[in-house]
Amino acid sequence: MTRSSTQGQETQRGASDAPERDETTVEGTGSTESAEGAESAGDGDSAGDGDSRPEAGRRRPGRGLRVLRWTAVTLAVALVAAAGAGYLYYEHLNDNLKKDVLNLGDHKVAAPTPNAAGQTPLNILVIGSDARDSEENQQLGGARETFGSTPLADVQMLVHLSADRNDMSVVSMPRDTLVKIPKCTDPDDGKVYPASEGRVMTNQSLGHGGPGCTVATWQELTGIHIDHFVMVDFAGVVSMADAVGGVPVCVDANIHSRDSKGHGSGLKLEKGTHPVKGEQALQWLRTRYGFEDGSDLARAKAQHMYLNSMVRMLRENATLSNPNQLRRLAEEATGALTVDPGLDTVKKLYDLSTELRKVKPERITMTTMPNRYVGARVEPTEDAEQLFRLVREDIALDGKDTEKDKAQETEKVPDDPAAADDDIAVQVRNGTRTDRLAMAPGRASSVAALLVEQGFAKAVADPSVLPSEDRTVVRYPSADLEGDAHRVAKSLGIPAGSVQRSTDVSGVTLVVGADWREGAAYKAPVADDRTPESAEALNGADDSACMHVNPAFTWS
């Protein structure tokens, strides 16, 4: 199996934007590793920027370059769709695709329950690797001494396609987010990477056996079932941008991303809207110095604008009907990708892109995971969990789910009828602990007693200590227990949407959540299904967006 390995101006955001060095703090150990060195050519980030590699003293590759791979991935999927129909017979396109295992962790998140129409959402994790595993990637990435070093997943974006295929949500996670990486096993050599003792930067997950460990890390953090991953390297980015003829981008002032010490991407544009392609497209996606406060979040905003513009262009640009152009595009796209076995042929990618193309630009919402600083790193906030919940529950981030809500008001009747109440075995667990409150004592026993009073004679309390559960849920492991689970939920007034299929339970299991810490009657909380403002949502149809240029990087 082959893997694709994919300072100058002070910023206003804080410690993480100070002059950069190779420094990673691992929460729980208090240890810090540091390695300094001169910055290589490029965006000025290659000497550091809070990264860690197993090899002490290694200079990290340019951070700016890593931020463009998600765009290449999304573009590749769309372009393979266009090119695939005419070139499926080329077997070498399939051979171009590199493959890897989907999930290397032990914990699996069950697929969501289908809606009333039998449809399920689709979640794809887009990964950008910073590996320098080829001469072309090395030339693009700079930092020659990092050739062949352990790759980092410095770009991570979750693409969520709704069950009804009406809307798409994209969630970006900052590369320096502190997370717990689960135990992962490398499929190539069987090496076991133990779970991290404390929290470490999320980009390190790729080095724990491959992209499947990055998938496992996302699932542990978010509780979102991930169906596929797509990973891309440096090499295909410039050529694909050339092949599609350029992407319109906008700046509100003249910009030159270069300071007196040579830091910056080198992007130089006049005020206004301009099509960028090739090296200039690469510079746009790398630029940190010169956009807004110079932080990674500003760079992510520029990437979102680029992607939205790309999607609109692909829908409107007739030049993609040129057979030679399509052939070149298909070659470049397939050569740049590493995919899981579920996407290991051009036909499968074509089918995926057909699904993605059903969504109109105005129903695409780009977001960044809400975060706060922890020293020079960031961590998810409460708003991040709100964003994850919306994705888990397939709620559109643009707030336009009215019609879908109406269609789902009619409760789905399980195919499996419920058994008699006194024959339904129910385990009741206490999940009432929160970040601020200790576990409410005796809740599992008291709710189990409520069920016994209502005729569920086989209801018992499970003393297991659980992580917090925001909402009370009823879980079941297999289709033959679905009817029983819905019957238990209905008897307590728990909404049908809180009944979930999960392989984490062996039978019907009621988890009493933080929303039911006391009392005998369950009152479902009024759901706030609004996308948090801190996610900085950008609509896919917004063609008026323009990047603000930092006055220190303008010219006349």
Side-chain angles (χ1 to χ4, degrees):
M1 177 166 43
T2 304
R3 277 203 192 96
S4 167
S5 311
T6 342
Q7 221 99 74
Q9 202 67 21
E10 292 267 347
T11 67
Q12 302 171 13
R13 273 210 68 169
S16 67
D17 298 308
E20 299 174 359
R21 64 183 63 213
D22 189 8
E23 183 178 276
T24 294
T25 300
V26 180
E27 185 175 287
T29 66
S31 64
T32 301
E33 298 179 2
S34 177
E36 297 182 46
E39 304 209 38
S40 65
D43 193 27
D45 297 330
S46 56
D49 198 10
D51 177 28
S52 73
R53 290 184 181 275
E55 300 88 343
R58 233 184 234 291
R59 281 167 54 196
R60 61 168 286 99
R63 175 166 86 177
L65 284 169
R66 296 183 293 279
V67 298
L68 55 90
R69 264 85 78 204
W70 64 265
T71 304
V73 172
T74 309
L75 172 59
V77 171
L79 296 180
V80 169
Y87 294 94
L88 287 177
Y89 61 90
Y90 283 136
E91 285 297 323
H92 70 273
L93 290 182
N94 290 336
D95 294 337
N96 281 349
L97 290 168
K98 294 172 281 292
K99 295 89 176 176
D100 219 320
V101 179
L102 175 62
N103 189 338
L104 300 182
D106 294 332
H107 177 70
K108 308 296 190 236
V109 176
T113 301
N115 61 17
Q119 303 165 304
T120 55
L122 192 62
N123 294 309
I124 306 143
L125 186 62
V126 174
I127 303 170
S129 165
D130 75 345
R132 274 66 165 170
D133 61 347
S134 68
E135 182 178 351
E136 186 177 5
N137 279 335
Q138 183 64 35
Q139 291 174 349
L140 289 169
R144 297 181 184 279
E145 64 273 28
T146 65
F147 186 87
S149 58
T150 303
L152 298 167
D154 278 329
V155 178
Q156 300 176 32
M157 300 184 74
L158 181 69
V159 178
H160 171 82
L161 184 61
S162 66
D164 60 13
R165 304 305 190 250
N166 283 337
D167 62 86
M168 184 189 302
S169 304
V170 180
V171 180
S172 301
M173 184 187 296
R175 57 173 286 279
D176 52 0
T177 301
L178 293 174
V179 298
K180 289 185 177 181
I181 299 176
K183 183 180 78 171
C184 294
T185 303
D186 191 315
D188 284 344
D189 57 16
K191 179 178 180 179
V192 176
Y193 293 84
S196 58
E197 294 183 5
R199 295 191 301 176
V200 298
M201 287 172 58
T202 183
N203 61 358
Q204 295 183 35
S205 60
L206 187 60
H208 288 220
C213 195
T214 305
V215 169
T217 301
W218 264 79
Q219 292 199 156
E220 288 271 340
L221 175 67
T222 67
I224 298 169
H225 173 82
I226 295 176
D227 301 281
H228 300 291
F229 77 78
V230 181
M231 185 168 71
V232 69
D233 59 18
F234 289 137
V237 176
V238 173
S239 54
M240 285 192 291
D242 284 341
V244 298
V247 177
V249 296
C250 176
V251 288
D252 66 0
N254 296 345
I255 182 174
H256 187 198
S257 178
R258 184 77 71 198
D259 67 8
S260 60
K261 297 181 179 180
H263 302 145
S265 70
L267 177 70
K268 189 171 185 179
L269 289 175
E270 294 183 356
K271 175 181 178 180
T273 300
H274 310 274
V276 294
K277 61 180 180 178
E279 183 179 0
Q280 201 169 45
L282 184 71
Q283 290 173 335
W284 175 273
L285 295 164
R286 294 177 56 200
T287 295
R288 182 166 69 83
Y289 293 102
F291 283 157
E292 299 187 351
D293 63 358
S295 71
D296 262 347
L297 299 182
R299 179 155 50 190
K301 180 187 281 188
Q303 295 162 5
H304 290 170
M305 291 181 184
Y306 181 96
L307 179 58
N308 284 343
S309 182
M310 172 69 74
V311 170
R312 291 192 298 271
M313 189 204 68
L314 287 173
R315 288 176 173 272
E316 300 169 2
N317 194 338
T319 63
L320 291 180
S321 61
N322 183 303
N324 289 331
Q325 188 178 35
L326 289 174
R327 178 177 179 177
R328 176 188 173 191
L329 213 46
E331 293 279 358
E332 300 293 350
T334 54
L337 300 181
T338 300
V339 297
D340 68 89
L343 295 176
D344 62 358
T345 66
V346 173
K347 174 62 166 61
K348 291 176 182 177
L349 286 172
Y350 175 77
D351 291 342
L352 171 61
S353 63
T354 299
E355 295 292 287
L356 295 173
R357 287 204 312 262
K358 293 177 182 178
V359 183
K360 297 178 180 179
E362 57 267 25
R363 296 304 313 278
I364 298 174
T365 306
M366 314 285 297
T367 64
T368 298
M369 182 198 77
N371 61 84
R372 59 177 161 246
Y373 276 105
V374 180
R377 311 286 173 251
V378 300
E379 66 180 4
T381 63
E382 293 77 10
D383 281 354
E385 173 51 33
Q386 166 76 347
L387 191 64
F388 298 152
R389 181 183 68 81
L390 295 179
V391 174
R392 285 195 302 268
E393 298 180 8
D394 196 25
I395 298 171
L397 300 186
D398 60 6
K400 298 179 180 178
D401 262 349
T402 305
E403 293 303 317
K404 182 160 63 178
D405 290 341
K406 289 180 179 178
Q408 293 178 350
E409 283 178 1
T410 302
E411 182 177 335
K412 179 180 179 290
V413 178
D415 295 331
D416 172 64
D421 290 354
D422 58 0
D423 277 340
I424 299 176
V426 186
Q427 284 192 333
V428 183
R429 297 178 178 176
N430 190 339
T432 57
R433 181 172 58 84
T434 71
D435 292 339
R436 299 181 178 86
L437 299 172
M439 182 176 64
R443 288 306 290 163
S445 297
S446 59
V447 174
L450 284 175
L451 284 169
V452 171
E453 289 176 7
Q454 295 188 27
F456 294 88
K458 295 183 179 180
V460 295
D462 182 342
S464 301
V465 177
L466 297 179
S468 61
E469 195 79 52
D470 290 336
R471 297 186 179 189
T472 298
V473 295
V474 181
R475 297 192 171 107
Y476 63 97
S478 54
D480 61 313
L481 293 176
E482 183 179 6
D484 294 354
H486 277 273
R487 173 60 191 147
V488 170
K490 187 174 182 179
S491 70
L492 294 173
I494 298 170
S498 294
V499 179
Q500 305 169 350
R501 185 169 177 171
S502 172
T503 55
D504 288 339
V505 297
S506 57
V508 176
T509 303
L510 168 62
V511 182
V512 184
D515 59 349
W516 196 12
R517 291 178 58 86
E518 59 185 10
Y522 177 72
K523 295 181 180 179
V526 177
D528 180 4
D529 292 339
R530 295 172 296 178
T531 299
E533 290 186 8
S534 55
E536 299 187 352
L538 178 66
N539 185 271
D542 185 357
D543 59 1
S544 64
C546 204
M547 285 303 298
H548 175 62
V549 176
N550 186 318
F553 290 86
T554 193
W555 55 277
S556 59

